[in-house]
């Protein structure tokens, strides 16, 4: 047996920032060296960020990725870090003739081992996910190699993300390659309860491979996606050894006792059990087994509960969208209702209340308690607020154009949207919309009104969950993840307990046109998340008439959702990358066939 200290760099790369990501790689490798690590593992496509989408179809981008990899290998050596093997993801290309159906330039979701100032081996993801948010058949061709590098006497195999999730491929060859450790760089997005799925998967693959397994995952927000970290190390029996925090950058350093490698350097083919052949490539790096040393105690970070996970994901999604896109501040409309209250609180926790601007825009129908609740939130959180009454502005429109009913109600929302966009234009704020998933599903948003903005913090949060998250956040004490330090609960209790209303006409209530939200959200979950058709919904116990009415609302609102800003994805199927339906569509669900 041999001792090996591995460092998993659970980091937050920026898509397209190759130079900045290379700087991070050097910085985190130095941190690992200061802790006497023998191997450092970065995440999937770390040098380019993930996902890069159509950037991989540009030869200039792929060229820059390859050049950055070579340059950072030399830089590590120049800065005295060349004797630490580094595993990192990047974008490469395969040497294939162009053909119809193959991504332009044959890009590879690649991984490399850097050592001694050079790239000692390269490989690429074999299994390409093409479900949910992933479109990798569009972007990549698959790899067919399993690198096994001997590090301090231990044979370390390297596979990439989806290769762990699918049967066959490189992971199926690990046991036959005789590896003592399998390291897997990942960019696995967050969704509710995914951490338990990952731990079970990692443990099962370790048992199948007959070796310890280190799973390192990206952290941070990228447009709609949020990556939660949660990097994991298990032993050969699948038992948890170490685990990193969720939603935070972290260097997870773990000592392992692993078998000495015995195979000779060279290449040999292995049946991958999926109809393909994987070439195992063995390499031996300089340096034999280390002298015995006292291991560090392993770190197992505590798990967050479901509501804490979701809230942290929303905060991180907003924080990184603001930071990575260069915004200095945000602005949103504050009505006194629960949706805008939660959105403002998430924003304050994400960027700090001093960078959050809210606008109170009471109309002739706004209740005194709504205005009072909004003012109370401002007092508690210390955000920057201004009041712009809209009654006279709306009246000026009404003098020039005769509007009634819904059109008149929507005019108020559009005036508010125009004011927010104008203030954004003047001061450079990012406008945050405040609509929740239940509203988006049923079309209860006004185009160019409350849907106007640049980012949507609670876009993927059903209304019932909005209340749950608000109560959860009010119950929290100081947290180093949050930047809001309210001395009292940040959301006024009345915003949580009062009956929801858009307040666009006298005595309006959401239940005037929608069922109670607990009933609605259960139906929407079955229709949107689970893709049940109308007969299945009725069979599941939903009211027949309600099924027909809600399905019609959801289907007719597709054009609105297509124009809604992006927002953090937290559910298995968000309105965005996950759920893609035609706008022009005459298919209608019926409750009986």
């Amino acid at each position: 047996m041999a001792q090996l200290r591995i460092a998993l760099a659970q980091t937050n790369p920026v898509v397209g920032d190759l130079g900045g990501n290379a700087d991070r790689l050097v910085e985190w490798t130095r941190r690992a060296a200061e802790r006497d690590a023998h191997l450092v593992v970065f995440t999937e496509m770390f040098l380019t960020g993930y996902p890069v989408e159509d950037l991989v179809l540009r030869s200039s981008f792929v060229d820059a990725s390859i050049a950055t990899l070579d340059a950072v290998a030399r830089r590590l050596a120049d800065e005295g870090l060349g004797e630490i093997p580094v595993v990192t993801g990047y974008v490469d290309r395969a040497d294939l003739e162009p053909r119809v159906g193959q991504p332009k330039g044959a890009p590879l979701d690649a991984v490399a081992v850097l050592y001694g100032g050079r790239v000692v081996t390269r490989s690429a993801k074999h299994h390409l996910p093409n479900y949910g948010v992933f479109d990798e058949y569009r972007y990549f061709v698959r790899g067919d190699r399993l690198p096994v590098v001997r590090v301090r006497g231990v044979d370390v195999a390297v596979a990439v993300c989806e290769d762990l999730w699918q049967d066959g491929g490189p992971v199926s060859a690990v046991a036959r390659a005789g590896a003592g450790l399998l390291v897997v760089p990942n960019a696995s997005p967050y969704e509710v309860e995914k951490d338990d799925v990952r731990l079970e998967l990692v443990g099962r693959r370790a048992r199948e491979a007959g070796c310890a397994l280190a799973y390192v995952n990206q952290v941070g927000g990228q447009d709609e996606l949020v990556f939660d970290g949660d990097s994991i190390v298990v032993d050969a029996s699948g038992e948890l050894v170490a685990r990193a925090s969720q939603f935070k950058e972290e260097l997870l350093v773990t000592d392992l006792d692993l078998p000495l490698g015995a195979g000779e350097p060279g290449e040999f083919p292995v049946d991958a059990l999926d109809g393909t052949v994987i070439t195992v490539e063995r390499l031996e790096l300089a340096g034999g087994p280390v002298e015995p040393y006292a291991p560090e105690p392993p770190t197992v970070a505590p798990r967050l509960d479901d509501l804490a996970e979701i809230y942290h994901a929303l905060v991180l999604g907003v924080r990184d969208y603001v930071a990575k896109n260069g915004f200095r501040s945000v602005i949103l409309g504050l009505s006194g209702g629960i949706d805008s209250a939660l959105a403002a609180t998430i924003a304050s926790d994400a960027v700090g209340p001093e960078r959050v601007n809210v606008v109170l825009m009471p109309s002739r129908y706004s209740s005194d308690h709504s205005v009072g609740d909004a003012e109370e939130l401002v007092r508690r959180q210390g955000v920057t607020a201004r009041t712009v009454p809209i009654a006279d502005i709306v009246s000026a429109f009404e003098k020039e154009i005769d509007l009634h009913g819904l059109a008149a109600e929507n005019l108020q929302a559009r005036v508010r949207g125009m004011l927010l966009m104008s203030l954004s234009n003047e001061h450079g704020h990012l406008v945050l919309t405040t609509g929740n998933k239940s509203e988006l599903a049923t079309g209860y948003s006004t185009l160019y009104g409350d849907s106007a903005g640049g980012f949507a913090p609670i876009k993927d949060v059903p209304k019932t969950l909005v209340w749950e998250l608000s109560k959860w956040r009010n119950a929290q004490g100081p947290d180093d993840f949050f930047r809001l330090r309210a001395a009292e609960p940040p959301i006024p209790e009345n915003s949580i307990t009062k009956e929801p209303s858009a307040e666009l006409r006298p005595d309006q209530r959401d239940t005037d046109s929608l069922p109670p939200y607990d009933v609605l959200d259960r139906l929407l979950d079955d229709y949107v998340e689970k893709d049940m058709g109308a007969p299945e919904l009725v069979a599941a116990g939903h009211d027949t008439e309600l099924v027909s009415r809600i399905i019609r609302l959801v289907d007719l609102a597709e054009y609105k959702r297509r124009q809604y800003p992006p927002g953090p994805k937290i559910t298995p199927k968000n309105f965005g990358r996950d759920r893609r339906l035609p706008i022009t569509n005459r298919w209608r669900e019926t409750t009986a066939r």
Side-chain angles (χ1 to χ4, degrees):
M1 301 293 284
Q3 286 181 287
L4 192 70
R5 178 169 291 177
I6 62 171
L8 305 186
Q10 179 174 290
T11 44
N12 188 352
V14 179
V15 165
D17 185 12
L18 278 71
N21 295 336
D23 291 343
R24 293 180 185 91
L25 185 144
V26 173
E27 175 191 349
W28 284 72
T29 300
R30 183 173 290 108
R31 294 184 192 180
E34 290 168 353
R35 296 184 63 180
D36 298 321
H38 307 127
L39 173 69
V40 188
V41 187
F42 287 85
T43 55
E44 178 181 9
M45 286 174 57
F46 175 79
L47 284 179
T48 59
Y50 182 92
V52 295
E53 302 182 272
D54 280 15
L55 286 174
V56 300
L57 304 179
R58 301 183 190 175
S59 60
S60 58
F61 183 80
V62 178
D63 289 343
S65 171
I66 296 168
T68 301
L69 180 77
D70 292 331
V72 80
R74 293 190 298 270
R75 181 177 166 191
L76 287 169
D78 292 342
E79 299 196 21
L81 301 168
E83 296 307 304
I84 304 174
V86 173
V87 178
T88 188
Y90 70 110
V91 173
D92 207 331
R93 63 165 58 90
D95 185 16
L96 297 174
E97 290 295 325
R99 61 176 176 80
V100 175
Q102 179 176 286
K104 179 184 175 185
L108 293 166
D109 182 339
V111 64
V113 179
L114 314 180
Y115 181 74
R118 63 189 184 90
V119 180
V120 297
T121 185
R122 305 169 193 252
S123 182
K125 185 191 289 186
H126 177 78
H127 291 295
L128 302 176
N130 210 52
Y131 55 85
V133 301
F134 304 107
D135 289 313
E136 295 202 355
Y137 283 127
R138 172 182 174 88
Y139 296 123
F140 301 111
V141 298
R142 69 184 186 183
D144 57 3
R145 301 178 72 81
L146 175 70
V148 180
V149 294
R150 187 160 298 165
V151 179
R152 296 295 187 175
V154 176
D155 283 348
V156 180
V158 183
V160 183
C161 196
E162 190 72 12
D163 291 342
L164 194 71
W165 292 81
Q166 302 289 339
D167 293 331
V171 173
S172 68
V174 172
R176 284 168 286 176
L181 172 66
L182 170 62
V183 298
V184 187
N186 292 265
S188 177
Y190 168 76
E191 60 188 43
V192 178
E193 297 179 350
K194 192 171 185 178
D195 61 318
D196 296 324
V197 174
R198 289 188 190 132
L199 180 58
E200 188 280 329
L201 171 75
V202 169
R204 174 159 48 88
R205 294 301 188 207
R207 290 188 293 272
E208 291 171 1
C211 68
L213 197 158
Y215 169 106
V216 56
N217 191 32
Q218 179 174 314
V219 68
Q222 170 59 31
D223 295 344
E224 292 181 329
L225 301 181
V226 179
F227 299 89
D228 56 323
D230 191 33
S231 300
I232 298 167
V233 180
V234 301
D235 63 20
S237 68
E239 291 299 310
L240 181 65
V241 174
R243 200 166 190 177
S245 302
Q246 297 166 279
F247 306 104
K248 297 178 181 178
E249 289 191 301
E250 182 175 332
L251 187 70
L252 182 65
V253 176
T254 307
D255 287 301
L256 297 171
D257 290 320
L258 301 169
L260 285 167
E264 295 297 322
E267 296 185 358
F268 59 92
V270 173
D271 178 3
L273 307 180
D274 63 357
T276 63
V277 173
I278 296 296
T279 299
V280 175
E281 178 191 18
R282 290 184 178 280
L283 302 99
E284 185 162 359
L285 306 184
V290 297
E291 292 295 322
Y293 61 88
E296 288 190 7
T299 299
V300 179
R303 300 297 87 204
L304 301 172
D305 63 38
D306 285 350
L307 289 176
E309 276 189 1
I310 293 168
Y311 193 83
H312 279 68
L314 297 173
V315 169
L316 183 55
V318 172
R319 180 176 297 166
D320 273 5
Y321 193 87
V322 171
K324 292 180 179 181
N325 287 287
F327 289 100
R328 298 183 302 276
S329 53
V330 301
I331 190 169
L332 68 151
L334 192 66
S335 68
I338 190 59
D339 294 323
S340 63
L342 179 60
T345 307
I346 291 168
S348 289
D349 279 331
V351 302
E354 69 281 359
R355 298 170 63 193
V356 176
N357 300 269
V358 300
V359 186
L360 286 64
M361 295 173 282
S363 76
R364 67 184 71 135
Y365 303 120
S366 297
S367 61
D368 291 340
H369 65 74
S370 289
V371 175
D373 293 339
E375 292 173 339
E376 177 64 12
L377 183 144
V378 170
R379 185 190 69 78
R380 293 185 183 197
Q381 296 191 18
V383 297
T384 300
R386 66 187 298 174
T387 300
V388 182
I390 67 167
D392 290 345
I393 303 173
V394 171
S395 295
F397 275 90
E398 291 173 337
K399 288 178 183 178
E400 304 299 331
I401 185 170
D402 192 22
L403 299 174
H404 305 87
L406 186 61
E409 293 178 23
N410 287 344
L411 174 60
Q412 298 167 71
R414 291 191 172 110
V415 165
R416 288 173 172 138
M418 177 193 67
L419 290 170
L420 289 171
M421 292 306 299
S422 297
L423 290 169
S424 166
N425 205 189
E426 175 70 14
H427 301 290
H429 308 309
L430 170 67
V431 177
L432 302 179
T433 62
T434 60
N436 62 67
K437 190 171 189 176
S438 306
E439 293 174 348
L440 266 66
T442 51
Y444 278 67
S445 63
T446 303
L447 278 180
Y448 320 117
D450 54 329
S451 67
F455 201 64
I458 59 172
K459 173 184 181 178
D460 201 30
V461 182
K463 184 74 171 189
T464 50
L465 185 53
V466 168
W467 279 307
E468 291 181 55
L469 289 171
S470 299
K471 295 173 185 175
W472 177 89
R473 180 61 184 89
N474 268 6
Q476 303 311 301
D479 186 312
D480 62 3
F481 187 78
F482 304 147
R483 295 181 183 173
L484 175 63
R485 295 291 185 268
E488 53 192 320
I491 300 175
E493 184 66 21
N494 196 49
S495 291
I496 298 174
T497 58
K498 67 184 175 186
E499 188 174 358
S501 169
E503 295 191 335
L504 297 175
R505 63 173 184 265
D507 300 319
Q508 185 179 22
R509 298 290 181 269
D510 287 8
T511 50
D512 295 343
S513 50
L514 292 174
Y517 278 110
D518 58 339
V519 174
L520 175 64
D521 284 352
R522 286 196 298 271
L523 175 52
L524 291 174
D525 182 72
D526 284 344
Y527 184 52
V528 174
E529 304 283 342
K530 299 183 177 66
D531 274 323
M532 290 186 181
E536 295 171 282
L537 293 169
V538 173
H542 299 289
D543 177 77
T544 302
E545 182 181 344
L546 184 62
V547 166
S548 298
R549 183 158 67 90
I550 297 304
I551 281 180
R552 182 175 183 276
L553 289 175
V554 174
D555 291 353
L556 292 178
E558 187 61 36
Y559 76 102
K560 287 187 177 182
R561 290 189 291 271
R562 197 71 66 87
Q563 299 179 66
Y564 207 80
K569 167 184 158 59
I570 61 164
T571 66
K573 185 168 287 189
N574 73 331
F575 290 126
R577 301 169 70 98
D578 279 325
R579 188 176 188 268
R580 309 174 200 182
L581 291 172
I583 295 173
T584 304
N585 174 20
R586 291 188 180 179
W587 168 254
R588 294 293 180 262
E589 292 282 344
T590 57
T591 55
R593 300 251 179 94

